[in-house]
């Protein structure tokens, strides 16, 4: 991020530049509007901080020139006078904010970062306006966990290995399945999906395997099952944890033999479908309780992709939000360009226990009620989201659950090891410690 500071007081430009550098923000200083014009022509900037009163060309004239020349970066106007009339003029000419000197450098840094982020998102939304209306399969985000997931997808997609995708409801398990299909060796083949929990148990077997004419009362014609329909492509078994035990053994047989037999049929038929299964349930616990077959679990768990909840990768929220706005702009005929900085900040701070699905619902509602071409804080309704698990507890109960720093450390290590299925190298990288330190902590806390 690079900022142009335009101020005739060298002390202000210099001190701000030093403060910005602490936050890894580059800056150049211009002593007047004419110098700023030259620097803007020669260098790219993400934002500008412009003083109102300057000799020669004042701040308002400079902002007017910048907008007329097509410079679209966010601009903050600064003034030592604080006149409402000046603020109105600055905003009218194209400034995004107005501050009165002296101002807090830390607050200014936050303002600039928020404005630049909102501006970048607006550019993403606008770049998608002319894009295809077809659903994209990209798993969106730039957090370390998302980058690793994309790397895994590209490695495993060309093979025919069975994949198990786990994560909370609404995290994007089907998006992962579609991306695996898109990067597979047969991306033009069919992608067939079924929600196991959404099909009555007595119909599930016939949906998956199909049936022959006369197999049972009402079977007046032959029906092709989903395993057959997905041949040459991918079959996505969503909510595999809801599959009844009676059917699990038959699915296991399919995974072993790569053949199916229609209900009422006698001849096994080979299938050529990539199997991707997903669930928001803890299959390991279900195996322990006897509600999920252990042998089926291991057949499904050839490759495991664990999607972290959105609240653990809040840095991905801006990009996800921009993508969602682009999608609804097309379907709703809206012209929302992005977010007001305070609205974006509220989204980033919110715990989305409904994950991406909740974020999508919040933004769809906001776009319906938005009065401007950007979503403002007043457009967002974050009250209806799922509460934190401890919100309803009494203060005394919460106090009793307070834990020591060592217990917090133990829990963090335990969760990291679970997420990486015991892989100590990856867990240590996630925790930001050396592998040797992690091994020592595992021994100290008895987590072997």
């Amino acid at each position: 991020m690079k900022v142009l500071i335009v101020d005739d007081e060298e002390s202000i430009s210099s001190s701000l530049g030093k403060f910005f550098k602490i936050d890894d923000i580059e800056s150049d200083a211009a002593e007047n509007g004419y110098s700023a014009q030259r620097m803007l022509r020669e260098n790219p900037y993400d934002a500008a901080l412009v003083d109102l009163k300057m000799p020669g060309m004042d701040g308002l004239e400079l902002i007017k020139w910048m907008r007329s020349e097509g410079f679209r970066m966010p601009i903050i106007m600064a003034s030592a006078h604080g006149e409402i009339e000046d603020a109105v003029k600055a905003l009218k000419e194209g400034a995004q904010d107005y501050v009165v000197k002296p101002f807090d450098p830390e607050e200014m840094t936050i303002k600039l970062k928020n404005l630049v982020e909102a501006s970048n998102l607006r550019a993403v939304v606008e770049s998608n306006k002319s894009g295809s209306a077809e659903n994209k399969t990209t798993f969106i985000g730039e957090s370390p966990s998302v980058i690793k997931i994309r790397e895994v997808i590209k490695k495993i997609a060309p093979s025919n290995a069975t994949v198990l995708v786990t994560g909370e409801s609404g995290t994007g398990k089907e998006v992962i399945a579609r991306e695996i299909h898109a990067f597979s060796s047969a991306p033009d083949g069919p992608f067939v999906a079924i929600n196991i929990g959404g099909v009555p148990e007595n119909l599930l077997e016939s949906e998956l395997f199909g049936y022959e004419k006369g197999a049972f009362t009402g079977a007046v014609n032959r029906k092709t099952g989903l395993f057959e329909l997905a041949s040459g492509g991918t079959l996505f078994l969503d909510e595999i944890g809801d599959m009844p035990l009676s059917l699990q053994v038959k699915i296991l047989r399919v995974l072993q033999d790569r053949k199916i037999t229609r209900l009422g049929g006698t001849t096994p038929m080979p299938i050529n479908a990539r199997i991707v299964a997903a669930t928001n349930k803890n299959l390991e616990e279900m195996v322990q309780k006897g509600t999920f077959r252990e042998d089926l679990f291991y057949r499904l768990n050839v490759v495991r992709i664990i999607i972290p909840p959105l609240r653990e990768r809040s840095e991905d929220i801006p990009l996800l939000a921009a993508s969602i706005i682009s999608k609804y702009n097309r379907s709703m005929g809206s012209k929302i360009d992005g977010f007001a900085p305070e609205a974006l900040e509220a989204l980033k701070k919110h715990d989305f226990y409904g994950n991406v699905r909740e974020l999508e619902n919040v933004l769809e509602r906001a776009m319906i009620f938005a009065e401007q071409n950007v979503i403002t804080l007043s457009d967002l309704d974050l009250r209806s989201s799922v509460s934190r698990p401890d919100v309803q507890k009494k203060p005394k109960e919460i106090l009793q659950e307070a834990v020591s720093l060592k217990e917090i450390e133990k829990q963090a290590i335990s969760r990291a090891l679970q997420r990486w299925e015991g892989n100590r190298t990856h867990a240590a990288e996630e925790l930001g410690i050396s592998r040797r330190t992690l091994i020592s902590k595992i021994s100290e806390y008895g987590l072997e």
Side-chain angles (χ1 to χ4, degrees):
M1 176 174 166
K2 192 171 184 180
V3 178
L4 176 62
I5 305 169
V6 188
D7 199 305
D8 59 330
E9 295 185 51
E10 193 274 335
S11 59
I12 292 179
S13 300
S14 177
S15 59
L16 269 178
K18 291 176 181 177
F19 193 89
F20 287 161
K21 194 172 184 179
I22 296 173
D23 276 300
D24 294 323
I25 298 175
E26 296 182 43
S27 63
D28 288 336
E31 66 274 12
N32 56 51
Y34 300 113
S35 295
Q37 285 180 327
R38 175 180 54 80
M39 297 175 77
L40 283 163
R41 290 191 184 102
E42 296 175 355
N43 305 284
Y45 295 100
D46 298 297
L49 174 61
V50 179
D51 187 28
L52 174 61
K53 302 294 184 182
M54 293 183 293
M57 179 186 290
D58 66 16
L60 287 174
E61 290 179 90
L62 175 60
I63 293 175
K64 188 175 182 179
W65 174 84
M66 289 171 68
R67 294 312 188 208
S68 68
E69 291 293 311
F71 293 101
R72 302 182 63 184
M73 79 279 284
I75 303 172
I76 297 179
M77 171 69 79
S79 172
H81 305 285
E83 296 291 337
I84 294 177
E85 185 179 351
D86 291 337
V88 171
K89 287 180 180 178
L91 296 174
K92 187 176 180 181
E93 293 296 347
Q96 274 70 41
D97 207 343
Y98 182 91
V99 295
V100 178
K101 295 180 179 179
F103 49 77
D104 184 341
E106 188 172 354
E107 289 184 6
M108 177 59 71
T109 301
I110 294 171
K111 279 180 180 290
L112 284 168
K113 285 184 174 180
N114 288 343
L115 283 170
V116 169
E117 188 169 32
S119 176
N120 290 341
L121 286 181
R122 190 152 45 247
V124 172
V125 172
E126 289 178 356
S127 69
N128 287 337
K129 282 181 179 178
S130 58
S132 169
E134 296 178 4
N135 289 330
K136 296 181 180 179
T137 58
T138 306
F139 189 61
I140 296 170
E142 292 300 330
S143 61
S145 59
V146 171
I147 291 172
K148 286 181 179 179
I149 287 173
R150 284 204 292 261
E151 290 173 352
V152 169
I153 289 172
K154 289 182 180 179
K155 284 182 180 179
I156 65 170
S159 73
N160 201 36
T162 303
V163 182
L164 177 62
V165 186
T166 58
E168 293 180 5
S169 180
T171 49
K173 294 186 286 295
E174 184 169 345
V175 175
I176 291 287
R178 289 184 179 276
E179 188 151 348
I180 291 171
H181 177 70
F183 282 99
S184 72
S185 56
D188 296 326
F191 179 90
V192 179
I194 179 173
N195 186 317
I196 302 296
V199 180
E201 185 174 338
N202 61 330
L203 298 178
L204 186 55
E205 186 174 0
S206 63
E207 285 294 315
L208 290 169
F209 294 90
Y211 52 78
E212 297 287 356
K213 180 179 179 180
F216 49 82
T217 304
V220 295
N221 293 299
R222 172 188 288 176
K223 176 182 172 64
T224 303
L226 299 185
F227 277 110
E228 287 183 79
L229 290 174
S231 188
T234 302
L235 176 60
F236 177 51
L237 303 174
D238 197 9
E239 301 307 339
I240 192 72
D242 292 333
M243 180 167 286
L245 273 169
S246 59
L247 190 54
Q248 288 179 25
V249 66
K250 296 184 179 181
I251 299 299
L252 174 64
R253 177 67 66 183
V254 173
L255 294 177
Q256 289 174 335
D257 299 341
R258 309 300 295 182
K259 293 179 181 180
I260 65 157
T261 303
R262 296 194 192 108
L263 272 66
T266 56
T267 306
M269 295 176 295
I271 61 162
N272 180 29
R274 170 72 164 279
I275 308 299
V276 179
T279 182
N280 60 4
K281 294 185 176 180
N282 188 322
L283 293 186
E284 288 88 343
E285 284 186 4
M286 293 180 67
V287 169
Q288 293 294 325
K289 293 176 181 177
T291 55
F292 199 87
R293 292 182 63 97
E294 184 176 11
D295 46 8
L296 176 57
F297 169 72
Y298 287 119
R299 277 289 176 181
L300 293 170
N301 196 33
V302 176
V303 177
R304 181 79 162 268
I305 295 179
I306 303 172
I307 309 178
L310 189 55
R311 59 188 175 276
E312 292 183 9
R313 54 183 184 100
S314 57
E315 63 266 46
D316 290 333
I317 288 176
L319 281 176
L320 283 164
S323 175
I324 291 167
I325 286 180
S326 296
K327 182 178 78 171
Y328 283 122
N329 272 340
R330 291 191 294 266
S331 63
M332 297 166 58
S334 305
K335 295 182 179 179
I336 301 296
D337 291 332
F339 298 87
E342 62 274 12
L344 188 59
E345 191 65 19
L347 287 174
K348 288 163 62 179
K349 289 180 178 178
H350 183 69
D351 284 331
F352 285 95
Y353 281 89
N355 294 296
V356 180
R357 189 176 293 125
E358 181 188 349
L359 174 64
E360 194 166 75
N361 292 342
V362 166
L363 293 180
E364 182 180 9
R365 181 196 179 280
M367 291 178 70
I368 292 171
F369 289 98
E371 298 289 341
Q372 305 176 37
N373 65 336
V374 296
I375 292 176
T376 64
L377 186 59
S378 61
D379 297 326
L380 296 174
D381 182 9
L382 300 172
R383 297 168 300 170
S384 59
S385 57
V386 179
S387 301
R388 290 176 178 268
D390 60 350
V391 164
Q392 302 301 325
K393 293 180 182 178
K394 297 177 183 179
K396 184 178 179 181
E397 292 173 329
I398 297 172
L399 195 61
Q400 288 173 343
E401 291 184 4
V403 293
S404 65
L405 289 175
K406 282 196 171 185
E407 183 62 28
I408 292 172
E409 184 179 57
K410 178 181 177 181
Q411 291 174 6
I413 292 172
S414 177
R415 285 195 295 268
L417 287 168
Q418 288 174 357
R419 278 194 287 272
W420 291 105
E421 298 177 304
N423 187 307
R424 297 178 179 187
T425 301
H426 288 158
E429 289 176 359
E430 178 182 317
L431 293 166
I433 60 178
S434 68
R435 191 174 187 275
R436 180 176 293 180
T437 300
L438 176 61
I439 292 172
S440 174
K441 293 291 184 181
I442 289 172
S443 176
E444 178 183 348
Y445 294 130
L447 295 174
E448 290 87 348

